[in-house]
Amino acid sequence: MMKRKKTIFAVASIMAMALALTACGKKQETMVEETTAVPSEVQESETETESETETEEAGLQIIEERKVVDGQMQSYLTGEWKDKEVVVRRPLAVMIPNNAQAMPQYGISEASIIYEAPVEGRITRLMAIFEDFDDLDHIGPIRSSRDYYVYTAMGYQAIYCNWGLAKPYVEELINRDTVQNISVGVDGIHKPADEAYGRISRPGYAKEFTGYLFIDGLKDAVDRLGYEWEYDDDYVPQFTFAAEGYRAEYEDAEDAVTIRPGGTKSNAGGYGAYNPYFEYNKEDNLYYRFQDGKKQIDEMNNKQLTVSNVVFQYCHGEVRDAKDYLAFGVHGEGDALVFTNGKVIKGTWSRMDGDGVPPKFYDEDGNEIIFNQGKTWICNIWKEYSEFVEYE
């Protein structure tokens, strides 16, 4: 197959919200801003129904409203059937390092959505969205907050979990009543939740990669701080999924089996340090994640990370200060690529309705893109470095 290098130029957009900043160090990451002190049934609605609507793609049915069947509902994050108590519960948005010195991560394969974005040092950091976390003992390692991750988490109504923050840019935001966070008690955190965190011995690892989120402590902290566990009535799901027994095939779309958010060459767009990529497997319809020339695995089960959908969300970015903290526009509009079923759908994203609503994805005709059921990986692509994006 001939290799085609694809470049996306973001559409003109108005950024409705403040730009955000990023966190991570260079390849040998430091923790200048982070304090490393060791921290000591919803009633079923009678209106809950599932209706299926046919889309323009011939015969494709989609999930609309959900209904409870044998104690289960279809997830807003993946479309898959899960226990109702899991589906109606607000998820966790957990900050996880993604640089070589932190690998492997623990528990990340259980995340329903993984959001990846560049940070200072021109590497990426992950924010993993977990809805099904009851069987996990811990997740991590955990790293610090940047404001555009917070803004993104707010779109999922997630409980935001972090260890440290870039105080000048994040302190005011993360301490708002609209941001319910479970954070280590470092300078700049007004409502610490140290009971949710602790360290695990990792011989040979730097101290900043030994801090973990413990689920029992997290649940205690959520209850102590009086946070609500359920989505509120204004919740808007990000994705529209193909219904049970259907696939969004996009037969007329271009094939895209290998997809690289930063290409194969070193570059300063965040993805050029470790050159991550995804390989589509048509046998199971999953995208397998690779990074730094090898499989990216979960330490918990030694399994390679896989997802059903990959999204490239193009955002304008700026360098904020001499520390190379970054800012990205995660509100407004921009270009997007959605990869599913081994195809690439070119389109746009839009987030114009405030912090509490996530971006939606549309094809070039303005129709909402239909996702296949399963997990999704969203790469925030720094628009100014979009020339490095490749797929074939």
Side-chain angles (χ1 to χ4, degrees):
M1 179 182 296
M2 292 293 293
K3 182 176 183 180
R4 298 180 296 275
K5 185 172 181 180
K6 302 294 180 181
T7 303
I8 292 294
F9 299 96
V11 298
S13 63
I14 298 174
M15 296 188 181
M17 300 290 163
L19 288 175
L21 68 119
T22 168
C24 229
K26 302 196 178 211
K27 290 188 180 180
Q28 296 298 324
E29 183 180 51
T30 60
M31 293 285 288
V32 175
E33 87 291 354
E34 298 179 327
T35 302
T36 55
V38 179
S40 42
E41 215 156 340
V42 179
Q43 289 185 343
E44 295 183 11
S45 170
E46 293 181 358
T47 63
E48 286 178 335
T49 61
E50 178 188 24
S51 58
E52 297 180 348
T53 299
E54 187 171 314
T55 69
E56 291 185 1
E57 192 173 351
L60 178 62
Q61 302 290 318
I62 62 173
I63 301 172
E64 289 195 314
E65 297 180 40
R66 273 72 168 171
K67 65 179 179 180
V68 179
V69 178
D70 295 330
Q72 293 194 325
M73 288 176 62
Q74 288 171 291
S75 165
Y76 296 113
L77 304 185
T78 69
E80 298 168 323
W81 289 95
K82 298 185 178 182
D83 289 344
K84 182 196 172 185
E85 290 73 16
V86 169
V87 169
V88 302
R89 180 175 60 187
R90 295 168 60 200
L92 310 177
V94 185
M95 297 299 301
I96 297 177
N98 194 47
N99 44 322
Q101 295 84 2
M103 296 296 181
Q105 302 116 331
Y106 188 96
I108 193 171
S109 62
E110 295 300 308
S112 295
I113 299 169
I114 295 177
Y115 175 78
E116 180 175 18
V119 295
E120 72 276 4
R122 309 307 173 91
I123 58 177
T124 63
R125 179 164 296 180
L126 308 180
M127 183 175 70
I129 311 297
F130 294 86
E131 63 178 344
D132 199 353
F133 49 82
D134 297 288
D135 293 333
L136 290 172
D137 177 70
H138 59 278
I139 299 169
I142 307 299
R143 289 304 306 270
S144 65
S145 175
R146 300 296 181 267
D147 54 353
Y148 52 90
Y149 290 95
V150 179
Y151 282 123
T152 299
M154 292 171 74
Y156 299 107
Q157 292 192 5
I159 297 172
Y160 186 75
C161 304
N162 66 294
W163 189 323
L165 71 164
K167 185 178 176 183
Y169 306 110
V170 183
E171 181 177 12
E172 188 277 329
L173 172 63
I174 200 170
N175 289 298
R176 292 179 189 173
D177 290 340
T178 52
V179 180
Q180 296 191 336
N181 60 297
I182 299 296
S183 306
V184 175
V186 301
D187 188 23
I189 296 297
H190 300 177
K191 295 180 180 179
D194 289 345
E195 67 264 44
Y197 296 91
R199 294 199 182 275
I200 294 177
S201 176
R202 302 181 82 190
Y205 286 80
K207 188 176 182 180
E208 58 261 37
F209 302 127
T210 64
Y212 288 78
L213 173 70
F214 289 85
I215 299 304
D216 286 347
L218 172 128
K219 291 179 178 179
D220 290 343
V222 169
D223 292 340
R224 176 178 61 80
L225 292 169
Y227 295 161
E228 293 291 334
W229 273 114
E230 290 82 28
Y231 292 115
D232 67 29
D233 293 337
D234 296 326
Y235 175 68
V236 177
Q238 182 172 37
F239 307 121
T240 296
F241 290 103
E244 191 78 10
Y246 291 83
R247 283 196 64 77
E249 296 183 340
Y250 294 100
E251 292 180 347
D252 295 334
E254 187 177 2
D255 291 337
V257 176
T258 301
I259 52 183
R260 302 177 183 273
T264 59
K265 300 177 181 178
S266 177
N267 65 79
Y271 297 90
Y274 301 119
N275 300 123
Y277 66 96
F278 301 85
E279 287 278 4
Y280 179 69
N281 183 341
K282 65 180 181 180
E283 300 300 322
D284 58 11
N285 299 311
L286 295 176
Y287 294 86
Y288 286 71
R289 168 79 174 202
F290 297 81
Q291 183 166 286
D292 204 18
K294 52 192 173 185
K295 298 176 181 179
Q296 188 163 354
I297 66 168
D298 187 335
E299 183 181 26
M300 179 181 69
N301 52 27
N302 204 37
K303 292 182 179 179
Q304 187 173 5
L305 303 183
T306 60
V307 294
S308 294
N309 313 285
V310 179
V311 177
F312 288 0
Q313 181 181 349
Y314 291 77
C315 302
H316 169 65
E318 296 178 358
V319 179
R320 255 179 169 145
D321 56 25
K323 292 183 178 180
D324 197 41
Y325 286 135
L326 306 179
F328 288 97
V330 294
H331 301 78
E333 297 175 327
D335 284 337
L337 296 176
V338 174
F339 302 89
T340 192
N341 201 55
K343 301 289 187 175
V344 55
I345 301 93
K346 300 174 183 178
T348 60
W349 64 270
S350 178
R351 188 185 186 189
M352 304 296 288
D353 296 325
D355 295 337
V357 179
K360 291 279 192 174
F361 301 95
Y362 302 91
D363 65 21
E364 292 178 306
D365 295 324
N367 303 307
E368 186 174 349
I369 294 173
I370 308 306
F371 286 71
N372 283 301
Q373 292 188 26
K375 300 172 183 178
T376 300
W377 195 302
I378 302 175
C379 295
N380 176 344
I381 303 295
W382 191 342
K383 184 185 71 173
E384 287 72 14
Y385 290 87
S386 61
E387 64 185 281
F388 295 101
V389 168
E390 295 180 9
Y391 59 85
E392 56 183 330

